[in-house]
Amino acid sequence: MTESFPDHTSGLESLVGELAGRGALADAAWKDAFTRVPRHLFIPSLVWDNDDDGWLSPVTRDDPRWWRWIYEDRHIVTQVDDGAPSGADGRGQTATSSASLPRLVARMLEELSVGDNMRVLEIGTATGYNTALLSARLGSRNVITVEIDPVLAEQGRANLERAGWSPTVVVGDGVEGVPDYAPYDRVLATVAAKNVPYAWVEQTRPGGVIVTPWGNDYLGHRLLRLEVGTDGTASGRVVGLAAFMWLRDQRARVGPWRDFVVADEAMTRTRMTLDPNAVLVEEDSGARFVIGVNVPDLYYALFRAQDDSGEFTLYLYDRHGSSALAEYEPGAADYEMRHHGPRNLWAEVEHAYRAWEEAGCPDRDRLGVTVSPAGQTVWLDVPGNPVGA
Ligand SMILES: C[S@@+](CC[C@H](N)C(=O)[O-])C[C@H]1O[C@@H](n2cnc3c(N)ncnc32)[C@H](O)[C@@H]1O
């Protein structure tokens, strides 16, 4: 099975040792699973590496880096541009599938808090490596995995078979979950969600756990752990950082801000008392969390005055035809605001920011998220205590 590869034993041992040394494999059962899954069986002969100019360049199996990377704690890009590299010589612009960073894989598996014989749905099969770890821990019969790209799903299934596992591999849109095999004890997404699909909640037993990379372009990339309640909702908190590619239908596709913002004169002009700096608060702050969840699909572009006045213009926009601007002057009591399109983005931001203020300006670690059929809401300290819904 492995004749065409160099001996992988020392590489696997060193990877497991490195993860354990970092505290990423505290659970002995997961450490055992990592020891039983050789990563090289899941990495395709063609992978990609980041170039300095922002493109991704192909690296093939005869390149010494290919073998070295497999047993390093690094993520490996395994598909670009949905399988059709858009650049010359096989170079790609966007990573569209990868074998995830092993320490993050370990972290996410531990956050799942599995018990023996639990049934798990994985979203985003890709190489099948993570699926193999789940199969090694829980048995293939307890693992269902879904991949949107049929070519990748087939590669993942073949890799799993070659490595000796036979979980159920489904080709489909993971946003819908996999109702045919529900309910699940656990759902693990290995692709990031801006809006946690409600199907994942519906298909998880009460008391079950959903772990998913989550966030948006304003909030950044987080790891969310939700517990499913008996009332048809799931609630939980951010438990770390997790930079993953977005679910295919939730990809950003943002280009230059000018493509999304109408001419200033075409906007409706008014004034607001909210200090525009509210949008520019630190990435890890409570205010950004409340704004980022309550004002979805939010982007901004900042233009500071070229003199020392401290003035700036801040544009807000979404990808669906709404844009707005605010003019900031230090010390002003209110600010000129203009908006255009179906949403008044500054009004939405003001509503969210004031709700955060009324809640006592809490830090981010006091805030959590509930997913219900109506969408995502933020709560303070305990579910059911909403902020800015
Ligand atoms: C980071 S990779 C997953 C890594 C994988 N678990 C592994 O161990 O190699 C993300 C995968 O999610 C897939 N994906 C993106 N959107 C999806 C969707 N809506 N449903 C199912 N899979 C999706 C991508 O095609 C990609 O293969």
Side-chain angles (χ1 to χ4, degrees):
M1 185 165 69
T2 60
E3 300 86 69
S4 58
F5 293 100
D7 176 36
H8 67 272
T9 322
S10 59
L12 185 55
E13 272 172 13
S14 105
L15 176 61
V16 172
E18 183 179 347
L19 297 179
R22 284 171 172 266
L25 282 176
D27 180 336
W30 281 122
K31 189 172 177 195
D32 176 63
F34 270 79
T35 309
R36 289 195 286 135
V37 180
R39 196 172 182 232
H40 66 272
L41 296 180
F42 295 87
I43 306 300
S45 307
L46 177 61
V47 300
W48 281 263
D49 189 24
N50 289 315
D51 282 346
D52 294 339
D53 60 2
W55 283 79
L56 294 134
S57 269
V59 174
T60 51
R61 210 168 93 173
D62 47 17
D63 186 317
R65 290 175 298 169
W66 186 93
W67 181 260
R68 205 180 61 233
W69 289 345
I70 286 172
Y71 288 112
E72 282 179 0
D73 185 19
R74 64 178 288 155
H75 92 283
I76 301 174
V77 175
T78 53
Q79 187 198 61
V80 293
D81 302 339
D82 291 323
S86 52
D89 305 321
R91 296 214 300 166
Q93 249 175 334
T94 308
T96 47
S97 191
S98 65
S100 312
L101 186 69
R103 68 168 173 275
L104 198 48
V105 171
R107 172 84 208 282
M108 289 165 68
L109 290 169
E110 292 205 340
E111 286 291 351
L112 267 190
S113 325
V114 297
D116 291 347
N117 290 314
M118 281 188 176
R119 278 161 59 76
V120 178
L121 171 64
E122 181 199 28
I123 316 290
T125 316
T127 66
Y129 176 63
N130 203 83
T131 325
L133 293 166
L134 287 164
S135 304
R137 171 70 182 84
L138 298 166
S140 296
R141 70 185 180 290
N142 287 318
V143 180
I144 287 86
T145 180
V146 57
E147 168 61 55
I148 200 163
D149 183 316
V151 174
L152 293 176
E154 177 47 31
Q155 284 170 6
R157 195 203 53 71
N159 291 342
L160 285 155
E161 186 180 87
R162 186 166 63 134
W165 282 281
S166 53
T168 303
V169 180
V170 176
V171 179
D173 187 348
V175 166
E176 290 160 18
V178 182
D180 289 353
Y181 299 93
Y184 305 101
D185 299 294
R186 301 288 184 262
V187 172
L188 173 65
T190 59
V191 56
K194 292 179 178 169
N195 302 302
V196 177
Y198 185 66
W200 302 357
V201 179
E202 271 182 313
Q203 293 171 28
T204 305
R205 285 182 209 287
V209 172
I210 299 169
V211 172
T212 183
W214 170 87
N216 55 44
D217 297 288
Y218 176 69
L219 266 181
H221 291 262
R222 313 277 153 183
L223 183 63
L224 186 65
R225 184 184 190 279
L226 301 168
E227 287 187 24
V228 176
T230 49
D231 60 352
T233 69
S235 297
R237 292 174 184 273
V238 166
V239 292
L241 300 175
F244 271 75
M245 54 196 66
W246 302 112
L247 283 161
R248 197 174 270 198
D249 78 338
Q250 297 185 9
R251 276 182 197 160
R253 284 194 208 94
V254 270
W257 70 280
R258 263 283 170 217
D259 293 352
F260 296 88
V261 169
V262 300
D264 301 356
E265 312 80 62
M267 292 180 174
T268 304
R269 188 186 292 236
T270 173
R271 296 192 78 79
M272 67 175 183
T273 55
L274 179 74
D275 183 335
N277 282 293
V279 168
L280 305 176
V281 287
E282 283 170 31
E283 201 165 274
D284 211 26
S285 65
R288 188 174 279 241
F289 194 82
V290 173
I291 294 171
V293 179
N294 283 290
V295 189
D297 193 24
L298 177 67
Y299 297 84
Y300 66 82
L302 171 65
F303 298 91
R304 292 194 185 277
Q306 293 301 302
D307 50 30
D308 55 7
S309 64
E311 294 173 4
F312 62 74
T313 303
L314 185 55
Y315 287 90
L316 304 184
Y317 56 99
D318 71 8
R319 289 166 300 147
H320 301 99
S322 296
S323 56
L325 72 77
E327 302 283 9
Y328 174 74
E329 289 169 50
D334 60 7
Y335 308 91
E336 181 179 327
M337 182 265 269
R338 301 186 203 182
H339 66 94
H340 178 86
R343 299 171 70 188
N344 181 340
L345 291 167
W346 274 114
E348 287 187 35
V349 166
E350 174 153 24
H351 180 79
Y353 189 84
R354 300 289 183 220
W356 173 75
E357 283 184 326
E358 278 158 30
C361 305
D363 289 341
R364 215 252 305 130
D365 57 11
R366 291 182 60 197
L367 301 168
V369 176
T370 291
V371 179
S372 72
Q376 300 179 156
T377 49
V378 182
W379 43 261
L380 175 64
D381 296 330
V382 286
N385 187 18
V387 184

